[in-house]
Amino acid sequence: MGTTRSQGEWVALESATMAKVEVRFNMSRCSIPLWAAAGLSIGCAKVDEAPKEYESAVAYVFSHFEDEDPTELVDTIDFLDEWLVGADLDAAQEGLAIQNLSNSAVADLEGHAHQTSGLEGVSLATESRYPTCTLMEALTQYSFARMMPDVYITYDREFDEGRDCIANRDCMWAEGRVYSVADWGLLGEVTAERRIQYRWVQTAAGWAFLQRWWLTDVSTGTRLGLTIDDQYYVGINFPDGNGTRRVHASWLTMEMATGDASSGASKQLIKNWKKDASDL
């Protein structure tokens, strides 16, 4: 494990590694983030339902993210590693619909009174050519406002702990909060407040990292009555050859003046994750 870096060293490292990672969020091609545009779309393609063992595994990681003893988390990641082969891997790489989280999974989360009723959940498995340490560094050290300047008007991320030690595994846990204002084009400016968490666990495949976030307040847009009452996300990232197998899962409720947009938004998340896989 490396030494703890100073703030100045992280700034220099960010510029160097961003070039290495080749972050190409070419958002100028569309003024509305893709999953926001889902609220305006009609007739989205059907997403196949996930097998129970798969959706139970991703929900378990979200629900037990903070478990002090990581044994069951490690067993769950090892299961996913073994499960994601052949036809099951092919299906997960196309995108799967997953059932709602349980009330107990969100009851103690920081923020407003969280709900699970009406959630739409989806999951996707992708593959990154980068090792887990590089991905952790990109997700925790870089400014998303710099990576996606055409989207984020404001992206303020503050860590309560672990910011300077999580990327090089000098610590196993980091958490903080994000306040963002994003330009969603026709949908206006969308404000969001999130709680973010990261942790390392050692699995049969090697060091894996988990990421989790959720909205701590209702996210709102300035046009078309857009509101996202709740959104929950978990990412499971474990070594796969020289790269990383990534499993994304998210559950959300989204409303617009035109009605419930949750289904379209959740399906568009799959398209976004597939697109992002070409970069990270």
Side-chain angles (χ1 to χ4, degrees):
M1 294 187 287
T3 58
T4 301
R5 296 181 173 95
S6 68
Q7 179 71 22
E9 288 173 322
W10 276 123
V11 171
L13 182 61
E14 174 181 351
S15 298
T17 310
M18 281 180 71
K20 179 179 68 176
V21 175
E22 299 175 358
V23 180
R24 300 183 304 271
F25 292 98
N26 196 5
M27 303 303 292
S28 60
R29 292 175 294 180
C30 180
S31 61
I32 306 175
L34 293 175
W35 77 273
L40 304 176
S41 63
I42 300 174
C44 295
K46 183 180 182 297
V47 179
D48 291 339
E49 293 186 6
K52 292 299 180 184
E53 62 269 27
Y54 177 87
E55 66 182 8
S56 295
V58 295
Y60 183 91
V61 175
F62 183 92
S63 303
H64 293 266
F65 195 94
E66 297 185 30
D67 283 3
E68 184 174 350
D69 183 351
T71 301
E72 293 299 325
L73 283 173
V74 170
D75 288 346
T76 303
I77 298 168
D78 288 343
F79 162 77
L80 286 171
D81 189 13
E82 295 174 359
W83 189 87
L84 287 167
V85 295
D88 289 329
L89 176 59
D90 292 341
Q93 288 178 324
E94 287 300 313
L96 296 167
I98 53 178
Q99 295 297 312
N100 283 1
L101 289 169
S102 65
N103 288 329
S104 61
V106 305
D108 296 328
L109 296 180
E110 178 184 322
H112 68 290
H114 297 289
Q115 303 291 330
T116 58
S117 176
L119 289 174
E120 292 282 346
V122 289
S123 182
L124 181 77
T126 64
E127 186 174 356
S128 171
R129 62 186 181 275
Y130 300 107
T132 54
C133 57
T134 300
L135 291 178
M136 176 68 95
E137 186 173 329
L139 292 169
T140 60
Q141 308 302 319
Y142 301 161
S143 167
F144 280 21
R146 287 184 60 190
M147 290 194 291
M148 294 179 279
D150 295 324
V151 174
Y152 283 108
I153 300 167
T154 302
Y155 193 92
D156 293 333
R157 177 175 54 207
E158 295 184 4
F159 279 92
D160 299 329
E161 62 177 293
R163 196 266 187 187
D164 294 329
C165 55
I166 191 68
N168 52 14
R169 239 178 25 250
D170 279 347
C171 60
M172 298 291 106
W173 177 271
E175 63 179 311
R177 62 194 71 246
V178 168
Y179 170 80
S180 65
V181 181
D183 180 0
W184 282 15
L186 294 177
L187 301 182
E189 295 180 4
V190 179
T191 301
E193 297 181 51
R194 302 179 182 89
R195 187 68 179 169
I196 55 174
Q197 297 176 327
Y198 305 87
R199 72 178 297 180
W200 288 101
V201 293
Q202 192 162 21
T203 70
W207 283 101
F209 78 87
L210 310 177
Q211 54 184 135
R212 181 173 77 160
W213 64 258
W214 65 90
L215 292 176
T216 56
D217 201 356
V218 176
S219 182
T220 59
T222 56
R223 297 178 187 169
L224 299 180
L226 184 147
T227 61
I228 305 171
D229 290 330
D230 283 292
Q231 184 173 3
Y232 313 97
Y233 171 86
V234 68
I236 305 163
N237 307 271
F238 51 88
D240 184 24
N242 294 324
T244 300
R245 172 68 62 200
R246 307 192 68 192
V247 176
H248 306 273
S250 188
W251 303 258
L252 62 80
T253 56
M254 178 174 165
E255 294 280 343
M256 295 178 62
T258 53
D260 188 350
S262 304
S263 179
S266 65
K267 291 177 176 65
Q268 193 64 39
L269 281 174
I270 292 173
K271 294 182 181 179
N272 282 8
W273 289 330
K274 288 180 179 180
K275 177 181 177 294
D276 292 347
S278 65
D279 299 310
L280 290 177

